Every structure is written in structure tokens, then in C-alpha cells.
Amino acid sequence: MGGATAAAAAAEHYMTLGLPLFEPYRVGIATLDIDGGKVTGTLAAPVGDPRPALPIIGTVSDGALKLTVGTGSDAYTLGFSEDERGLHQVWEETLSVGDLERVVLFRPSADFSDTALALQHLGEDWCGQVYGGLALVLRAETLKSMASPPAALADLDVSATSLTHGAVKAKLKDLWSRLRLASHGGDDIAIDVAVPVGTEAATAKALRAEPALAAVTLPNACTEMALVVVPKAKLSDGGTVSDVKLKTYLERALNRLLSGAQAEGSSVGGRKFKLSGATVAKGANGVPVFTAQVTGESDAVRLAKGGWDQFTLSVTPVVTATDTGDTLSLIPTVSDVRTAPRSGAQVPPESAFKPVDDEAVSIGITHRLVSWLAAAEGSRCDFLTRAGFDEPDGAYSCTNAALDDVAHASDN
């Protein structure tokens, strides 16, 4: 919002914490417009929720913000002080009372992406997953009264566990009776569902219109996750990802990484590697996907000594809930991993490479790519794995930074 000296400008989005006006969501979306020290705007639930937005009026002067949310007997007036923490510009409630949570309004300087405004975690103790899945909170009372699920929910893929096959996906319609039984305890039921990467925000917006659902959020469950945040302008033309820019960007980055160069700077290292078959083609959801065959020294590929790695790399650009208005995320997938022992400085023949079953190898390759790119861009990466993987010495690290929360003042 820019403080008291801000001139009249376009409305800005803020996420709010501590305003329990759209439960069960912990985050509200405030849209504020300042004109001559006067503030007008609205507070709303995440996009797609059918509840009407609440009006906001207020004033701002000398780093102090005063807001009234709602009208009549349901109006609440609060005072805030300006701050800045990490990624966020912050307005925090000036006075605290007992153990009551302070109300906070926060935003990144480049605004939130549309996806970030649509998708947040239901609890602050989230563990991971910002793409490929959603969490649904089913109303207990509605469950008990519906013999079958609504059409919009019936074919969703629910994450479940099989006694014989471990983690599996099952259709919601096939689990509906079991969920109805669980609802007799009176508590709403939370389940995680899988959705195609890149469709999370649109799916959440559509599902929030279903009366059977109390909330649609990002899952709080731990899962495999790797992404790197990059400037949107480097990959896009007019807001749309360019196949040419995507291919050029990743080829240049991989040439430097595989050559053993440090992320910082623009130099190229001296290690041998092979990058072939690089293409960009539309994926299943119409999203462009970069694919290439990669062969490189393990020292450069995953900071492991004494070998060569060969694999197929796919990279998907998606706007996720970790993105601001001027970034997007690259999500890598590593498959068909093979390794060969080192027998000189040259790339070994194809016959020397043998398949490897150790998932820590592919995880290590993924971690190296996202953390190296984040260091090269001066941005951030999210990395989380349940595999047996330890960051090697000298590795760049990733912090699982979420845009739907703000660090406490004592953490800075």
C-alpha cells in the first residue's frame, strides 16, 4: 500500500490473518484502495466462495492504518502499524490483548498471483504440496443427507491407503458411503484429492460453489514437492509462456549447471556433458513442457563424486500458490535415471550406463536443479521429500516459503 505518502493508486490485494469472518478459512482476501488518506475496499473469502464480501472503510496517515470491517452491529474497527518482513509488506494490529492472535494484513510488493489468491492452506502447520492436489472439507450435515455425491465431486481422485498396495487413488463416489458413516460423529470430514498440475486454482474456484463443501484449500499433508520461482518476463510474451523463451532459458541454464559453473555469475565451467533432444511440446493440460535427454558428471548433476548420470528431464512452467504477480514456477520431473562409473574425462558410451533403482539419485538431481536455478535468479525454491536424501556438502538450500503466511516479527 506504500504507507501514508501513497498517492491514489489501483486497489491492492492483501491476505488477512486473525479475522475469523469466513470460517473455516483462516485467510481472508482484502482489496484496499487509498485516495487522499482515505481507504475503501472489501474483505472476501477465497475466490469462488459464495458468501458476499464485507465492506471496508478507513484512513491511513503517518504509518498508521485504521480500518472498519463490516457494517452496523457486525462492524469491527482495528488499528494497524506498518512493517516489512521477508517477502511481505505488512500491516500488523498495533495493540495485542492477552493471547488473542494479532490481526495482520500482508502482501508481496509485486502483488499475489491469481493462483495464490485462490489457494491457501487451511492450517498454519502445513507441510507441503502447492500443486497437483487440493484438500476438501465436506460438511457433516450435508454428507448425512446425501445418498450420493454431487456430479462435480463424484469422479475426483481421493488419496487413500490400501492394505495391499500402499498409497492409491480412489474415486470419491466409491468412498461416499464410508464418508457419510464418518460424518455421524458431527465433525466435518477433510480429504485430499489429486488434480492435474496447473488446474488447482480453477478447480478450487469451481468446487467452492458446491453446498456440500465447507472449504477447498491446499493440502496440509507432506508429499514430494520441488519447484523454483523465476521471473515471468524471462519465459513469457504478453503474459503467455513462450515455447521459444522456455527452451532457450532452460538450455542456457542447463549448459552452465552441467558444465560445473557456479550459479552466481555467467561463466561456464569445464566439465563434459551432453544435452540432446531438447523440445517444448504441449502437455496433457495444454501447458508447454520442456523435455531433454541429459548426460553429465555426477559432481555437477547432484554433487556426488565419481560417476556419470543420464536421465530424461521434463520441466513444466505453472503459476502456483508460491508465485507473486511477476513470477511463475518451474516444476521438474526426472525419469529413466541411469548411471555409469567414471573412466576418464569423456562422456561414456551408452552401453556403460545401467538403470538405477535408488530414488535418492533422482531426488538429488531434482534438488540440485531447483536450488541451483534459485541461486542463479536470486529467487527461492521449495523442496520437500520423504525419500532418504540428505543435502550434499556445498549444496544450495531451499526454504519452503509460503505466500499465505507471514513470519512473526521475532523471526526476523
Side-chain angles (χ1 to χ4, degrees), residues 96-101:
S96 61
V97 180
D99 294 330
L100 296 182
E101 177 185 3

Side-chain angles (χ1 to χ4, degrees), residues 14 31 44 50 53 62 158 172 193 202 212 216 225 279 298 309 335 365 384 386 398 402:
Y14 284 80
T31 304
D62 297 327
V158 179
L172 181 56
V193 300
V216 182
M225 181 176 69
T279 60
S298 304
D309 295 331
S335 59
I365 295 169
L384 182 69
R386 303 176 72 178
C398 291

Side-chain angles (χ1 to χ4, degrees), residues 1-8 12 14 34-37 39 59-65 81-83 89-91:
M1 194 154 51
T5 60
E12 295 178 333
Y14 284 80
I34 299 177
D35 187 358
V39 181
T59 59
V60 60
S61 177
D62 297 327
L65 173 68
S81 298
E82 193 172 18
D83 195 4
Q89 301 172 357
V90 178
W91 288 97

Side-chain angles (χ1 to χ4, degrees), residues 10-368:
E12 295 178 333
H13 295 114
Y14 284 80
M15 287 189 190
T16 67
L17 298 172
L19 289 173
L21 301 175
F22 294 102
E23 292 184 332
Y25 294 109
R26 71 183 180 95
V27 173
I29 307 299
T31 304
L32 303 183
D33 196 350
I34 299 177
D35 187 358
K38 295 186 180 298
V39 181
T40 57
T42 59
L43 177 70
V47 62
D49 188 284
R51 287 172 287 185
L54 302 174
I56 294 177
I57 58 172
T59 59
V60 60
S61 177
D62 297 327
L65 173 68
K66 185 175 182 180
L67 296 179
T68 298
V69 182
T71 58
S73 60
D74 287 326
Y76 305 90
T77 299
L78 304 166
F80 300 87
S81 298
E82 193 172 18
D83 195 4
E84 185 172 336
R85 296 182 212 148
L87 295 172
H88 297 121
Q89 301 172 357
V90 178
W91 288 97
E92 184 170 26
E93 194 175 7
T94 303
L95 299 178
S96 61
V97 180
D99 294 330
L100 296 182
E101 177 185 3
R102 264 195 169 104
V103 179
V104 178
L105 288 76
F106 61 95
R107 73 186 301 273
S109 58
D111 203 350
F112 297 97
S113 66
D114 289 342
T115 303
L117 289 172
L119 292 175
Q120 300 87 38
H121 293 89
L122 192 61
E124 62 182 14
D125 58 344
W126 71 282
C127 182
Q129 199 160 355
V130 294
Y131 56 83
L134 296 171
L136 311 184
V137 180
L138 296 154
R139 299 183 191 277
E141 288 303 315
T142 306
L143 271 173
K144 287 191 291 185
S145 64
M146 298 181 70
S148 59
L153 305 182
D155 288 317
L156 291 176
D157 290 320
V158 179
S159 300
T161 303
S162 165
L163 284 175
T164 54
H165 296 91
V168 297
K169 301 296 181 188
K171 295 299 182 184
L172 181 56
K173 60 187 176 185
D174 296 327
L175 298 173
W176 191 255
S177 183
R178 180 65 184 89
L179 295 172
R180 291 183 66 221
L181 179 63
S183 71
H184 278 266
D187 294 330
D188 292 347
I189 308 296
I191 58 173
D192 290 346
V193 300
V195 298
V197 173
T199 68
E200 300 89 352
T203 302
K205 179 180 178 180
L207 291 179
R208 285 183 180 129
E210 290 293 328
L213 296 178
V216 182
T217 67
L218 290 169
N220 282 357
C222 298
T223 187
E224 303 293 320
M225 181 176 69
L227 63 80
V228 56
V229 174
V230 299
K232 186 184 295 184
K234 291 190 176 183
L235 303 180
S236 302
D237 282 326
T240 301
V241 174
S242 161
D243 292 1
V244 173
K245 284 189 174 182
L246 176 64
K247 183 172 182 290
T248 300
Y249 177 88
L250 286 171
E251 284 182 322
R252 288 176 177 171
L254 288 168
N255 282 334
R256 293 191 59 241
L257 185 156
L258 296 170
S259 72
Q262 292 296 309
E264 300 85 352
S266 58
S267 62
V268 177
R271 295 187 181 277
K272 302 293 184 181
F273 65 91
K274 183 179 180 182
L275 184 64
S276 61
T279 60
V280 173
K282 291 293 187 288
N285 301 312
V287 177
V289 179
F290 170 92
T291 304
Q293 304 301 313
V294 180
T295 304
E297 294 184 48
S298 304
D299 302 70
V301 171
R302 54 187 169 95
L303 298 181
K305 302 294 184 183
W308 291 82
D309 295 331
Q310 188 176 81
F311 54 95
T312 300
L313 173 67
S314 298
V315 181
T316 305
V318 178
V319 179
T320 77
T322 64
D323 284 298
T324 59
D326 60 359
T327 69
L328 52 75
S329 295
L330 297 178
I331 302 172
T333 302
V334 172
S335 59
D336 302 323
V337 180
R338 304 196 300 162
T339 62
R342 176 168 295 168
S343 58
Q346 300 303 313
V347 177
E350 290 294 313
S351 59
F353 287 91
K354 305 300 180 186
V356 59
D357 293 329
D358 186 358
E359 64 181 349
V361 175
S362 59
I363 294 295
I365 295 169
T366 302
H367 177 268
R368 175 64 171 165

